[in-house]
Amino acid sequence: RTCIAISLAMRFIYATDMHGNAQLFERVLKEAEKKEIGALVIGGDMTPFLGFDAMRIQRAFIEDYFLPRLEKFAIKAGKPVLAMMGNDDFSINYDLLEKAEDNGTLKIMHNRVISLGRFNIAGYSFIAPTPFILKDWEKSEDEIAADLRKLSSKTDMGRTVFVFHTPPANTSLDMLYNGSHAGSTAVMGFIKRKQPLATLHGHIHESPDITGIWKQKIGMTISMNPGCNAFAVVDMEKPDASVL
């Protein structure tokens, strides 16, 4: 289950950090239905923000809206959906994604390589430690680096798009409102060394608004963070031609 093959067009929709925003999700699905789009990729934090009884609220959101809506999309559009959790998604609800995968509604991409035509997508949900309460999807930078060495050994860098929930550190993609950076040094080191075709990120919602940049070149790799109020049309043949 660590390598899955799917045949599709060379462009896909990437959305992340929607946090229960059904209006945005409906826009994303409508765009993904277009004939020139081959797949939908969801990069984590799909459930509502944390709060009182958040675990139950997130589970209800996944069961009552998110997965039923994806099932309707799958029937209407007939296109694959790749998804993973982010740091604000309770991992106790991971079983719902696994059941949806067994039913053919989606493919879980965390810590896996999935073939999309001539290209691959690899996903990774973990982020470096934060001040936030939920710790389900946090690991040390050393642990992240070790995980990425294993994951990258399963694929060809020149034809792989990596989906990291966290952005690379000290870039235009990880800047907080106060101007400081909050990305992963392990992810940044990985991109510099391995130079994958492209990388997709999220987690730091405000970064595109603060820096005015959502797409950045790191060596030969195109890295993108669309933020939480937009989504990207990713072109696997020409990543630099991807649009917000």
Side-chain angles (χ1 to χ4, degrees):
R1 292 172 66 123
T2 60
C3 190
I4 304 167
I6 299 171
S7 177
L8 81 168
M10 295 299 102
R11 286 193 286 178
F12 63 83
I13 298 295
Y14 173 66
T16 186
D17 297 274
M18 290 184 284
H19 288 288
N21 185 341
Q23 184 177 9
L24 175 60
F25 190 43
E26 292 297 332
R27 285 174 50 211
V28 166
L29 292 174
K30 183 176 181 180
E31 190 72 19
E33 289 174 356
K34 294 182 178 180
K35 64 179 181 180
E36 64 268 23
I37 301 299
L40 170 60
V41 177
I42 300 171
D45 283 3
M46 75 281 287
T47 54
F49 272 122
L50 301 181
F52 178 74
D53 205 13
M55 192 182 301
R56 182 193 62 79
I57 292 171
Q58 288 191 5
R59 191 171 189 87
F61 175 82
I62 295 172
E63 284 186 305
D64 298 340
Y65 172 71
F66 183 74
L67 292 180
R69 189 63 185 87
L70 283 181
E71 289 173 6
K72 290 181 181 178
F73 170 80
I75 292 170
K76 181 177 181 179
K79 298 174 183 180
V81 176
L82 284 60
M84 67 184 192
M85 286 187 163
N87 64 294
D88 277 342
D89 298 318
F90 279 99
S91 63
I92 195 170
N93 295 323
Y94 199 74
D95 66 302
L96 297 177
L97 299 189
E98 292 176 321
K99 291 176 183 176
E101 182 173 62
D102 290 340
N103 293 336
T105 301
L106 55 77
K107 296 293 183 184
I108 299 172
M109 60 181 169
H110 169 61
N111 216 27
R112 292 180 178 174
V113 176
I114 300 177
S115 295
L116 302 177
R118 297 188 293 106
F119 299 92
N120 292 334
I121 287 192
Y124 190 75
S125 292
F126 285 104
I127 67 169
T130 71
F132 305 136
I133 295 174
L134 183 57
K135 300 296 180 183
D136 291 6
W137 296 104
E138 290 187 7
K139 281 190 174 185
S140 71
E141 294 284 15
D142 287 344
E143 289 175 312
I144 291 173
D147 286 348
L148 296 184
R149 284 194 293 271
K150 292 179 183 177
L151 183 61
S152 63
S153 70
K154 302 173 184 177
T155 188
D156 174 7
M157 292 296 104
R159 60 186 185 91
T160 304
V161 176
F162 279 81
V163 182
F164 298 112
H165 186 64
T166 184
N170 301 312
T171 64
S172 297
L173 308 178
D174 76 324
M175 187 174 289
L176 300 174
Y177 282 118
N178 64 8
S180 63
H181 296 272
S184 167
T185 57
V187 168
M188 183 59 164
F190 173 84
I191 296 171
K192 285 183 174 180
R193 288 191 305 274
K194 294 293 187 177
Q195 291 287 276
L197 177 66
T199 62
L200 307 177
H201 309 273
H203 182 45
I204 309 301
H205 305 167
E206 63 269 33
S207 189
D209 294 331
I210 298 301
T211 65
I213 297 171
W214 72 277
K215 181 171 58 176
Q216 178 175 345
K217 202 167 187 179
I218 302 173
M220 297 303 294
T221 298
I222 303 297
S223 297
M224 310 174 217
N225 178 3
C228 65
N229 295 311
F231 55 89
V233 180
V234 180
D235 189 324
M236 289 184 286
E237 291 188 317
K238 297 179 181 179
D240 198 31
S242 301
V243 296
L244 195 63

